[in-house]
Amino acid sequence: MKLSFVVPCYNEGGNVEPFIKSIYENFPVTEDYEVVFINDGSADNTFEKLKGIKNTSPCNIKIINFSRNFGKESAMYAGLQNACGDLVSIIDADLQQDPAIVKKMVEMLDANPDIDCVCACQEDRHEGKITAACKNAFYKIADKFTEISFQSGASDFRTFRKSVRDALLSMSEFHRFSKGLFSWVGFNTVYIPYTAKERQSGKSSFNFIKLLKYAFEGIIAFSTAPLKFASVLGSLATLFSIIYAIITIIRKLVSHINVDGFTQLVILITFIGGIQLFTIGIIGEYLARNYIQAKNRPIYIAKEIISYDKK
């Protein structure tokens, strides 16, 4: 099989039918491809709509139905595990990412054997200025403080060869950050610009808080800089305390100033205690991830997998 579409779905009941129609418009059913839908514990009628699509679709449709919501990263991992194509394309079901762009990606890969992956980068974002500024700041920080390179605006919307898919699947870590994983595995990647469209239906499940949490996951997953920052902060706090103690002694000996010891003690304890709690919190984030990874729990649980031969 030449091409596999990996399509994570979470509460996309109003989008999956227009999405599959758009696939048909850009990829005739006579072409050799499959569409792997992952129902990530949707609370609406997404799964019923997907089964309806499968029962009437002339092309190869596979449905992976999760036992609950495991998140988009887990959904993409499940899709990669079940994709059979020589090329794999990750695309959202809300039609913000146009399947016509996938066709261009495939043509680029066919025409250039030395290219392993084509990634779409957003030019214009349909989002607030604060959100856009935070995203740009994340890419700059991540690119500077992690061991890998982050392309600004790079998304999970990309098409790549089977060798890239195999490399991604070889890393079965529980806390996944695909943008970082794609950069870490390397391969020759070409970035192309695209403009995201408006959602066909419904609202995005990502809000500002979730995006911040996702960005924090990415920093923790690919950098030890926060641990080093905690060490630097602790050293600065110690240095500050020593300097402050010297200044206090000098003032006492030279100016004979009565020092309010209680007030100074409270300030120093609060300052140093805050830094200690901050650094312990950073260490705790890394330990928590090691603890969860050591449990070796599965990245997802599939309640049901409906393959081509099942209706």
Side-chain angles (χ1 to χ4, degrees):
M1 182 167 296
K2 180 176 182 180
L3 175 64
S4 295
F5 289 93
V6 172
V7 192
C9 300
Y10 179 67
N11 293 340
E12 302 287 1
N15 294 322
V16 290
E17 290 179 344
F19 171 81
I20 198 67
K21 289 180 181 178
S22 181
I23 292 290
Y24 297 155
E25 291 172 0
N26 291 280
F27 294 86
V29 295
T30 55
E31 294 187 11
D32 188 22
Y33 67 91
E34 66 175 358
V35 184
V36 182
F37 288 104
I38 306 94
N39 180 41
D40 185 21
S42 298
D44 63 356
N45 61 345
T46 298
F47 185 51
E48 288 70 24
K49 288 289 186 70
L50 290 177
K51 289 192 291 185
I53 290 173
K54 177 169 178 53
N55 291 334
T56 58
S57 175
C59 70
N60 295 320
I61 301 290
K62 184 180 293 184
I63 304 171
I64 305 169
N65 186 33
F66 281 2
S67 61
R68 64 169 177 84
N69 176 243
F70 285 90
K72 185 179 179 181
E73 291 288 343
S74 298
M76 289 191 291
Y77 184 78
L80 294 178
Q81 280 190 320
N82 289 272
C84 300
D86 294 326
L87 301 178
V88 179
S89 180
I90 299 176
I91 184 171
D92 292 339
D94 56 14
L95 288 177
Q96 286 188 295
Q97 301 169 345
D98 193 345
I101 299 176
V102 178
K103 194 168 186 178
K104 295 179 181 178
M105 292 176 171
V106 172
E107 291 172 352
M108 289 181 65
L109 290 169
D110 287 341
N112 301 276
D114 57 322
I115 297 177
D116 302 301
C117 177
V118 181
C119 174
C121 297
Q122 288 192 47
E123 282 187 316
D124 299 319
R125 301 178 185 270
H126 301 290
E127 57 196 12
K129 292 183 178 180
I130 295 178
T131 302
C134 288
K135 285 185 177 181
N136 290 331
F138 161 75
Y139 283 111
K140 291 179 180 178
I141 293 172
D143 189 62
K144 185 174 182 179
F145 290 103
T146 61
E147 60 187 41
I148 55 178
S149 177
F150 281 86
Q151 176 73 23
S152 180
S155 66
D156 296 319
F157 181 28
R158 58 184 77 205
T159 302
F160 45 91
R161 301 189 189 278
K162 191 175 181 180
S163 56
V164 180
R165 185 209 69 169
D166 292 341
L168 293 170
L169 290 177
S170 69
M171 297 180 291
S172 57
E173 53 198 70
F174 188 85
H175 292 280
R176 304 185 67 80
F177 186 75
S178 290
K179 292 181 179 64
L181 293 176
F182 274 109
S183 295
W184 192 90
V185 297
F187 294 96
N188 187 11
T189 300
V190 173
Y191 297 92
I192 62 173
Y194 89 104
T195 300
K197 298 181 178 180
E198 295 289 345
R199 283 180 62 88
Q200 179 74 18
S201 175
K203 295 181 179 181
S204 174
S205 59
F206 270 99
N207 54 35
F208 185 71
I209 300 299
K210 287 184 177 180
L211 287 173
L212 283 180
K213 182 180 178 182
Y214 186 62
F216 183 71
E217 290 280 353
I219 296 294
I220 294 293
F222 288 94
S223 174
T224 58
L227 290 173
K228 296 176 182 177
F229 175 71
S231 299
V232 171
L233 199 59
S235 300
L236 290 176
T238 303
L239 181 62
F240 172 80
S241 301
I242 293 173
I243 293 174
Y244 189 72
I246 293 173
I247 292 174
T248 302
I249 294 172
I250 293 174
R251 289 178 64 197
K252 179 69 174 178
L253 295 175
V254 175
S255 303
H256 302 288
I257 297 174
N258 292 325
V259 180
D260 188 354
F262 178 77
T263 302
Q264 290 182 327
L265 185 61
V266 169
I267 293 174
L268 287 174
I269 289 176
T270 303
F271 176 72
I272 297 175
I275 290 179
Q276 287 177 333
L277 291 174
F278 177 76
T279 54
I280 290 172
I282 292 178
I283 296 171
E285 290 291 337
Y286 284 91
L287 290 177
R289 281 155 180 75
N290 286 332
Y291 170 71
I292 294 173
Q293 186 70 41
K295 288 176 178 290
N296 200 29
R297 289 174 178 170
I299 296 173
Y300 68 92
I301 296 176
K303 181 179 179 180
E304 182 180 7
I305 298 180
I306 306 176
S307 300
Y308 310 142
D309 56 345
K310 298 181 181 179
K311 294 290 185 180

